[in-house]
Amino acid sequence: MSLIRFSNVGKSYDTQSGRRVPALRGFELELKRGEFFCLLGPSGCGKTTILSLLAGFEAPTTGEILLDGEPISGTSRDRGVVFQGDNSLYSWLTALENIEFGLRLRRLPRKIYRPKAMEYLRLVGLDGQQDKYPAELSGGMKQRIQVARALANQPKILLMDEPFGALDAQTRATMQRELRQIWRATEASIFFITHDIDEAITLGSRVGIMSAGPGGTLQQVIEIEMGDERSRSDLTYVDYYARIERAVGHEVNRAGKRIQEPV
Amino acid sequence: MSTFAVTTIHVKTTWAFRLASGILPYLVSFSALFIAWHLASIYLVKSILFPPPIEVFVKAWELLRSGDLEIDMLASLQRIFLGFFLGSALGIPIGLTIGSFASVRRLVEPWTEFLRFIPATALITIAVIWFGIGEEGKVFLIVYTTIFIVILNTAAGVASIHKNMTRAALALGATRWQMYTLVALPATVPFILTGMRLAMANSFTTIVAAEMISAPHGLGVMLWNGRLFMLVDDIFVSLLTLGLLGFAADRLFRMGIYRFAHRYGPVT
Ligand SMILES: Nc1ncnc2c1ncn2[C@@H]1O[C@H](COP(=O)(O)OP(=O)(O)OP(=O)(O)O)[C@@H](O)[C@H]1O
Ligand SMILES: [Mg+2]
C-alpha cells in the first residue's frame, strides 16, 4: 500500500475581493514509503497549497488525501514540515531548544529529549551552535535547524517547501548533499517542493511536474534512475534535464502567455 | 604578571567609563532642567506661587527627615503596584485569549473597545459607590487604567505572530493549551512588556486622581492638601517625587526586562 494517496484533490480560495479562485485542480498522486519525491512547477501553480493540504493546515475543497489508508484531517506529528523562509523558528529559543521543541510537547523527560536533540543537531552539522538564537545564525544554519526540528520528531514523512530557495549556490549544494545522506541514513520519506530543475534531479527518486496555475495540476511524473553520485556532466543527467526542461518550459510559456493576455 | 595588571586596569577603566557615560547624560539633562526652573522662577515669574528648585529641595529634605514624605511615597507606591500587577495579571490572559480565538474576540472586543475610552478619572465616583473610600476603590482605579492597555497590546501581539510559527507547532503535535503557553505567550512577550510600560505611566497619572478619594496618606493626598492649604512647596515636592518615582520605576522595569526577558527580543 502506498504511504500517501491524493485522489482528485482540489482547493479553491475566497479572495478578499470576494471572488473564488481555484489554486489546485484534480491532483492525483501516490507517494511510496521511503521515496524522495520532488514536486516541480512554475510559480503560483499550487505547490504550497498541496503542502498545506498534506500537512493538514487546510482542508481540500474536493477529493481526499489518504495517509496509510486513513483520510487526513488536521495536523499530526507524523507529517513534519520544513517551511519556506525562516519565520517558523522560535526566536526566543536557542538552536537546541528549537530542535527539541517537538519532543518537549510530548512531555518526555529532559534527560531523554536533550541527548536526542543533540544527536539531530549533530546530524545537520550544527555542532557547537546549540546555544545560539536564530537571529545569531546564518540563513543556511536556520534551515538546518528547521530540518533537525522536523526530523527529531521522527515523522512518517518530511514535507519541505523550497527549503533551500534563499541560499547561495554553494551552501545549497552542500545542504542538498547532506539531505540526501540524511534521507539514506534515516530512511525517511520526503516530499520536496522546488522550482529548480537541477535540484529536483539531484535529490529526487521521482520528479513530479505541475502544469501552470492558478489552478494547476500534476502533469507528469518522471522516475530518476540514477545512483547517489549525480553529476551534472553525466549524460543521463543531461538527458533528464532536457526532458524536464521541455515539460516545464512548455508550462512556463503557458503561464507567461496567460499573464500577457489582455483581460 | 604585567599582562595581568594591564588587563585589570583596562577592565576597570571600561567599567568606570560605562558607568559615567550611562549616568552623565542624565546628570546633564536633569541639571539643565533645574537651572531652567531656577532661572524661570527667579527672573521670569517672580511669585511665591512658583518656588525655585532650592526651596523645593529644602522642603523635600524637611519632609524626608520627618518621615512624612516616606509615608506618602510608600502609600502611593503600594496602591500603584498592587493595581498595576493585578491589572497586568488579568489583562495578559484576557489579551492572549482575545488574540487567539476569533470568537472570543468578537464577544469581548465591544466591551474593551467601549470601556477603554472612559478615563479612570471619570470613574472616581463609581469607585467610591462600589468600593467605599478605603483602599479598594483606589486600587480599582489603577487596575482599570492598567488593564485595557495591557489587553490591547497583548492581543495585537498575538495577531502579529507569523502563521508559520503557529503551523510549525501544530505540525509538531502541539495541543491547544501548548499553543497558548509555549507559542502565543512567549511570542507576545515584547508586546506585553510594552503594554505594561505604558500602563505603568498611566498608573502614576491615575494615582493622583485616585487619592482625591479621602485617604490618610499618599503623594496625591499631599497635592490636594497642598491646594487646600496653599502649601505651594508641598505641591512641588509631590510633583517632583511623582516624576522621579515614575522615572525610576520605568528604568527598573526596563532593566528587569533586559535582565530576565532578553531572549524574547523586547523593545527597551
Ligand atoms: N490564502 C489564499 N487566498 C487566496 N488565494 C490564494 C491563497 N493561497 C494561495 N492562493 C492562490 O493559489 C494559487 C497557488 O498558490 P501557491 O502558493 O500554492 O503557489 P506555489 O506553487 O507555491 O507558488 P510559488 O512557487 O510562487 O511559491 C496562486 O494563484 C495563489 O494566488
Ligand atoms: Mg510556494
Side-chain angles (χ1 to χ4, degrees):
Chain A
M1 189 177 55
S2 55
L3 176 65
I4 285 164
R5 192 195 158 100
F6 295 87
S7 39
N8 189 32
V9 174
K11 176 75 184 172
S12 310
Y13 287 108
D14 293 318
T15 60
Q16 296 196 356
S17 54
R19 279 186 315 143
R20 206 170 165 74
V21 292
L24 185 69
R25 260 190 289 235
F27 191 89
E28 301 261 352
L29 175 66
E30 281 190 30
L31 296 176
K32 296 176 215 146
R33 206 174 301 278
E35 82 169 314
F36 198 138
F37 190 92
C38 287
L39 189 65
L40 192 66
S43 184
C45 71
K47 302 186 295 295
T48 298
T49 306
I50 293 171
L51 184 124
S52 297
L53 300 177
L54 187 47
F57 301 138
E58 295 168 25
T61 321
T62 65
E64 65 174 356
I65 309 172
L66 302 179
L67 171 72
D68 279 331
E70 296 286 321
I72 283 174
S73 65
T75 52
S76 146
R77 64 164 163 264
D78 41 53
R79 281 156 279 138
V81 181
V82 175
F83 295 86
Q84 189 165 10
D86 51 27
N87 296 315
S88 76
L89 287 177
Y90 300 116
S91 53
W92 60 90
L93 299 179
T94 63
L96 188 65
E97 289 166 339
N98 264 286
I99 296 173
E100 69 197 12
F101 191 81
L103 303 171
R104 267 178 61 203
L105 294 178
R106 275 190 254 170
R107 301 179 199 292
L108 296 174
R110 187 191 170 95
K111 67 170 188 287
I112 290 185
Y113 69 65
R114 254 297 136 89
K116 205 158 166 199
M118 277 306 285
E119 196 183 300
Y120 282 94
L121 185 97
R122 258 178 237 123
L123 183 71
V124 297
L126 281 180
D127 245 334
Q129 311 293 323
Q130 59 265 33
D131 295 328
K132 292 201 176 146
Y133 290 96
E136 300 164 342
L137 297 170
S138 71
M141 289 171 169
K142 285 189 245 193
Q143 287 310 77
R144 285 164 201 258
I145 298 180
Q146 275 214 71
V147 174
R149 179 175 70 177
L151 282 175
N153 237 16
Q154 288 175 308
K156 286 183 183 167
I157 184 166
L158 190 60
L159 316 177
M160 309 178 83
D161 192 357
E162 303 195 25
F164 310 144
L167 305 180
D168 63 276
Q170 232 170 322
T171 315
R172 187 185 314 164
T174 316
M175 302 274 293
Q176 287 169 349
R177 199 166 342 109
E178 286 172 11
L179 184 62
R180 273 292 287 202
Q181 279 164 7
I182 290 171
W183 172 63
R184 280 262 173 257
T186 59
E187 296 177 337
S189 312
I190 298 181
F191 182 76
F192 189 102
I193 292 173
T194 179
H195 59 244
D196 183 8
I197 300 177
D198 172 67
E199 187 166 63
I201 305 174
T202 309
L203 291 174
S205 37
R206 286 198 298 159
V207 175
I209 300 163
M210 288 188 71
S211 60
T217 191
L218 193 64
Q219 180 214 22
Q220 184 178 356
V221 177
I222 295 176
E223 194 119 5
I224 308 289
E225 282 159 346
M226 288 172 86
D228 273 341
E229 287 306 315
R230 298 184 175 184
S231 154
R232 275 171 213 165
S233 49
D234 235 346
L235 271 183
T236 3
Y237 178 97
V238 176
D239 210 40
Y240 278 125
Y241 198 100
R243 256 175 84 189
I244 296 174
E245 194 176 36
R246 228 175 299 125
V248 173
H250 176 66
E251 287 307 330
V252 172
N253 279 339
R254 269 184 53 200
K257 276 209 196 90
R258 198 171 301 173
I259 290 164
Q260 282 157 17
E261 270 168 21
V263 184
Chain B
M1 263 309 269
S2 60
T3 335
F4 179 69
V6 169
T7 326
T8 333
I9 289 166
H10 179 70
V11 169
K12 261 187 191 157
T13 43
T14 48
W15 180 81
F17 177 76
R18 272 171 53 194
L19 187 73
S21 61
I23 290 177
L24 205 65
Y26 289 125
L27 277 178
V28 171
S29 80
F30 275 120
S31 316
L33 174 74
F34 291 132
I35 290 169
W37 174 5
H38 180 79
L39 294 177
S41 81
I42 299 292
Y43 300 106
L44 229 58
V45 184
K46 289 185 201 157
S47 152
I48 54 156
L49 296 180
F50 188 23
I54 317 275
E55 210 178 303
V56 176
F57 291 153
V58 169
K59 182 73 195 177
W61 181 243
E62 265 173 37
L63 288 172
L64 262 177
R65 291 265 311 263
S66 69
D68 288 343
L69 188 57
E70 195 187 319
I71 292 173
D72 285 327
M73 263 165 52
L74 288 180
S76 290
L77 282 179
Q78 194 184 334
R79 289 171 192 134
I80 287 174
F81 285 110
L82 207 61
F84 170 71
F85 283 115
L86 211 61
S88 301
L90 290 169
I92 293 167
I94 295 175
L96 281 176
T97 315
I98 287 182
S100 303
F101 306 102
S103 50
V104 178
R105 156 168 252 131
R106 279 193 290 275
L107 269 174
V108 182
E109 216 167 48
W111 286 79
T112 56
E113 287 302 292
F114 170 75
L115 289 171
R116 80 188 173 93
F117 288 103
I118 303 174
T121 43
L123 282 184
I124 292 176
T125 23
I126 295 287
V128 174
I129 294 170
W130 284 355
F131 298 99
I133 56 169
E135 286 300 297
E136 295 89 341
K138 299 173 188 68
V139 173
F140 164 78
L141 289 176
I142 305 291
V143 169
Y144 184 89
T145 203
T146 299
I147 196 165
F148 296 109
I149 294 188
V150 173
I151 289 178
L152 220 68
N153 272 275
T154 308
V158 178
S160 77
I161 298 174
H162 197 278
K163 190 169 71 179
N164 284 353
M165 224 180 235
T166 327
R167 289 184 160 186
L170 286 172
L172 290 167
T175 61
R176 276 248 152 150
W177 178 246
Q178 285 174 326
M179 295 292 303
Y180 198 81
T181 55
L182 298 178
V183 181
L185 178 62
T188 312
V189 165
F191 289 81
I192 293 176
L193 293 176
T194 302
M196 285 175 74
R197 274 185 68 199
L198 294 170
M200 178 124 78
N202 268 10
S203 303
F204 274 86
T205 317
T206 306
I207 192 68
V208 175
E211 287 173 352
M212 269 174 93
I213 310 170
S214 90
H217 303 288
L219 292 169
V221 179
M222 194 170 157
L223 201 70
W224 297 115
N225 286 343
R227 194 192 65 155
L228 207 59
F229 304 114
M230 273 302 277
L231 302 168
V232 182
D233 289 352
D234 280 35
I235 294 178
F236 273 83
V237 170
S238 164
L239 293 178
L240 196 66
T241 313
L242 273 170
L244 284 176
L245 282 180
F247 177 81
D250 190 58
R251 284 264 99 190
L252 276 176
F253 194 63
R254 279 163 72 176
M255 271 164 62
I257 290 174
Y258 195 82
R259 175 82 183 73
F260 298 108
H262 193 51
R263 63 155 61 199
Y264 300 102
V267 192
T268 48

